[in-house]
Amino acid sequence: MDPEAARTARESLDLAFHMSNILDTGLDRHTLSVLIALCDLGVNPEALAAVVKELRREKNSLSSSVPAAPSSLS
Amino acid sequence: MDDEEDHQKLPDLVKELILRLISQNNNNTIDSPNPNSSHFQSSLRYAHRILSSRLTPSVSPDAAAIADSVKRRLATQGRSSDALSFADLYTKFASKTGPGSVNNKWAVVYLLKIISEDRKNTKNLDTSVLLPNLGLSDAQLGKGSGSRVSRGVEKGWNNGILLVAKDSENRREIAFREFVNLVKEENEVSEEVLVRDVIYACQGVDGSYVKFENDNVGYVLSDFVKVPRATRTMVHKLCELGWLFKKVTGFISRSMDRFSAEDVGTVGQAFCSALQDELTEYYKLLAVLEAQSSNPIPLVSESASSGNYLSLRRLSVWLAEPMVKMRLMADLVEKCRVLRGGAMAGAIHLHAQHGDPLVHEFMRRLLQRVCSPLFEMVKRWVLEGELEDIFAEFFIVGQPVKVESLWREGYRLHDAMLPSFISPSLAQRILRTGKSINFLRVCCEDRGWSDAAAEIATDIGATARRGGFRYGETDTLESLVDEAAKRIDKHLLDVIYKRYKFKEHCLAIKRYLLLGQGDFVQYLMDIVGPELSEPANTISSFKLSGLLETAIRASNAQYDDHDILDRLRVKMMPHESGDRGWDVFSLEYDARVPLDTVFTESVMTRYLRIFNFLWKLRRVEHALIGAWKTMKPNCITSNSFTRLQHAVKMQLVSTLRRCQVLWVEINHFISNLQYYIMFEVLEVSWSNFLSEIDVAKDLDDLLAAHEKYLHSIVEKSLLGELSQSLYKSLLVIFDLILRFRSNADRLYEGIHELQTRISESSVSSRNQSKSRKQLVDKSVDQGSWIADGRKALTQRAGEFLRSMGQDLDAIAKEYSSLEEEFISQLPVQQHVDLKFLFFRLDFNEFYRRVSPN
């Protein structure tokens, strides 16, 4: 990969990350880069979004169950 | 990149993604993701399932559009600076091309958008989900502790004051949910469907729930549909519009069908077209409403699910104005169903008197259209005299008549078709103007009026362009009519005066029919007198015509215009057996077109009556003058009677005297009557007539003036209805006078003969000896007078004089009683002028003294 292309890629990622921040998606840079790569492979963005959403929900249910435990204890 | 490579890369990337996401979950253990953990494995499976289930995106790959929608959303959320910076970033992002850049840009932006939305929703969900969770945990707690009563307090203790509110909101939410269920249960049909149905109904089309029912006569919501009463009422109210609409369109289509049958008329057609234009407006509104009905209400927050833009209530607001108009139209349609033409315009005009500016404006617009054919007709009529009215809608009706009655009967106003905004006097003027044009064209064969009409047209054209010649511009109409009337009437009078010499003909009639030309009348009387004494059936009118010609030649009348003299004719009235020529002879004046409009047959009949009366009067006067010729005192030399016996002489003188006295008395009466008729009646009426002709503005004025002239003559000459008895007694007096004349003639004939005999006898007595033989022969030849000798002569004379005296006495007696009767009737007459006649006849109150009652 020539340096020109690498620079373009990084700038693109930067811009996408900025947009992501403005839209308050909560994605970090690395995850975003993975998602972009997947998009470039032609994966349906709706499906990707669904995956992100589902996995986050799972995470939430996990995290909510964790603090719930001490409250029930008290 | 190869496909194979892709296929290999894809699972790796997915794994990486899941790792990242899961590792995010446990923030404290970022670096220890366990790819082999069951949790990771299940997540991976799940992700693969999701990814394989949705292979194609549901939106079109248009990056710019997606970015635009994101930007808009940010802006509506009030984050305009973010929106701007996002747009900025996006343009930069999109401009990155070439190797190393992102290929699938739209997918990236779309992905970001969805994730952001999801995240927000989950956040919202979080807050709403979290709280019930707490509640749930409260319930669990309550269950655990076994005391529900102290729950709120405990909560307050545990989680602060927020928890108290939680519960109440929960209840409110439950109530909301219950309400929504209730509404859903009640409304089998959603409001959108009802709105659609109502809009259909407003176009006269049955919807799926709202249908037209013939027995109910209107659109109703089907009874089987379960909706709240309020909705039902509102639908019903809105559907009135549909009913009205159906009525209006029904009228229009019915009228359209009849267009071919020529039953509707131009005004009706104009009305229909105006209604259709109004309906076009209405259709436009409905189209807009229909388009709106499927649009949701644009709200600030997108999350709040709004209903459709058009609710029934909004619809009722939108339709309020059309409803007023439609009601008005339906009303008009109802009123105008049987009306046509001017009557229809009038009926619509009655509705235009409305205080509401909306209605007023609407009606004005409608009326302008409706009345335009009428006004066009008025214009054609006033400017060209054309009655362009195939459907019989105009307020002027023409009927085929003979030329001479064209003015009086050819055209008339049709009151039923006269719209109320045209006043009767204006209508009268309109009628007269067009009539004048037609009169000029038909009767006078004059083309000059077209110049006048063209002048008016240009004059009015200017104002019409400014103000317009249509409904509401009654002033313009009036000025047009006035202008046209002024010029056309002036032209008409010019033609009648100058080309047809109206005044000259009037004067000729006065001279010849009303015996104004003295020498002519005198001469005519002289030459036709012997002829007229014959029985009526033996008189030839040709001979009389010849005599009339002679009379004209012999008198000053010969200098009159030939055209006028040609028109003077002898007319023999229908006669009965026993009528004398005097009774049937009359003169006639042939007025000819167009003056026969003035001198109609009935007018000529009245002239004839006047002529007959005047002719009789003249005859009597003539007879009196004739009597006077023989009665002149110097014709009878009293010295020839000296040889008569004294008694006979006295008798003779007294008879003569009686005769003279009677003649003087009669002459006084007749000459005063004659004077009265000639000067008080004819000349006065004539001069009034002349002054009225001068101020006459149109033919109607002229006709009225002439009518007045004739009427005053008839009334004052004792020919009117009121003075019939007076006229009769006058005729009796005339007869008596004629009898007097024949008596007087006989008397004087007798006296003359007597005189001759006396002188002859004196001569013969002187020559008695010489010519006895001759005398005897002569006496045998000459009759009885001389044969009886002198004594017999005296006796005969005495007898003759006595009988004549008796006759005279009788006549005098009859005459004085008749005159008394006549004079006593005069003061009770209504005419002031007849009183003058009375003063004249009874100037020294002689007759009043004779008959004191």
Side-chain angles (χ1 to χ4, degrees), chain B residues 557-568:
Chain B
Q558 61 181 304
Y559 302 113
D560 223 337
D561 194 348
H562 278 290
D563 178 42
I564 287 170
L565 294 176
D566 282 351
R567 297 182 184 211
L568 196 61

Side-chain angles (χ1 to χ4, degrees), chain B residues 698-711:
Chain B
D698 51 60
L699 193 52
D700 273 341
D701 285 356
L702 204 61
L703 287 176
H706 182 255
E707 180 65 23
K708 204 172 145 196
Y709 164 65
L710 201 54
H711 184 75

Side-chain angles (χ1 to χ4, degrees), chain A residues 44-46, chain B residues 54-61 106 110:
Chain A
N44 185 356
E46 284 173 5
Chain B
R54 301 189 202 178
L55 289 174
T56 49
S58 61
V59 297
S60 58
W106 77 269
Y110 188 43

Side-chain angles (χ1 to χ4, degrees), chain B residues 453-465:
Chain B
E455 256 176 62
I456 305 157
T458 47
D459 277 14
I460 292 302
T463 49
R465 264 193 294 285

Side-chain angles (χ1 to χ4, degrees), chain A residues 5 9 11 15 18 22-25 28 30 38-41 43-46 49 53-55 58-59, chain B residues 6 16 20-21 24-25 39 46 54 56-58 70 79 89 96 100 103-104 110 114 116 118-119 123:
Chain A
E11 276 174 9
L15 288 167
H18 273 302
I22 285 172
L23 289 176
D24 197 18
T25 53
D28 59 24
H30 192 108
L38 278 167
C39 278
D40 270 359
L41 285 176
V43 178
N44 185 356
E46 284 173 5
K53 185 175 144 191
E54 290 306 316
L55 290 177
E58 228 167 275
K59 172 203 81 178
Chain B
D6 280 1
E16 175 72 14
R20 290 298 302 177
L21 285 169
Q24 257 181 347
N25 291 346
H39 179 56
Y46 187 38
R54 301 189 202 178
T56 49
S58 61
V70 171
R79 297 162 56 187
L89 286 171
K96 296 281 176 211
N103 293 326
N104 228 347
Y110 188 43
I114 300 171
S116 146
D118 282 348
R119 200 169 144 82
K123 259 191 203 155

Side-chain angles (χ1 to χ4, degrees), chain B residues 797-811:
Chain B
E799 260 171 43
F800 169 72
L801 285 175
R802 206 178 312 122
S803 80
M804 285 316 287
Q806 275 166 4
D807 280 357
L808 277 179
D809 275 348
I811 288 173

Side-chain angles (χ1 to χ4, degrees), chain A residues 53, chain B residues 114-128 303:
Chain A
K53 185 175 144 191
Chain B
I114 300 171
I115 292 175
S116 146
E117 277 166 17
D118 282 348
R119 200 169 144 82
K120 189 167 315 127
N121 286 348
T122 38
K123 259 191 203 155
N124 289 347
L125 202 67
D126 277 351
T127 47
S128 58
S303 58

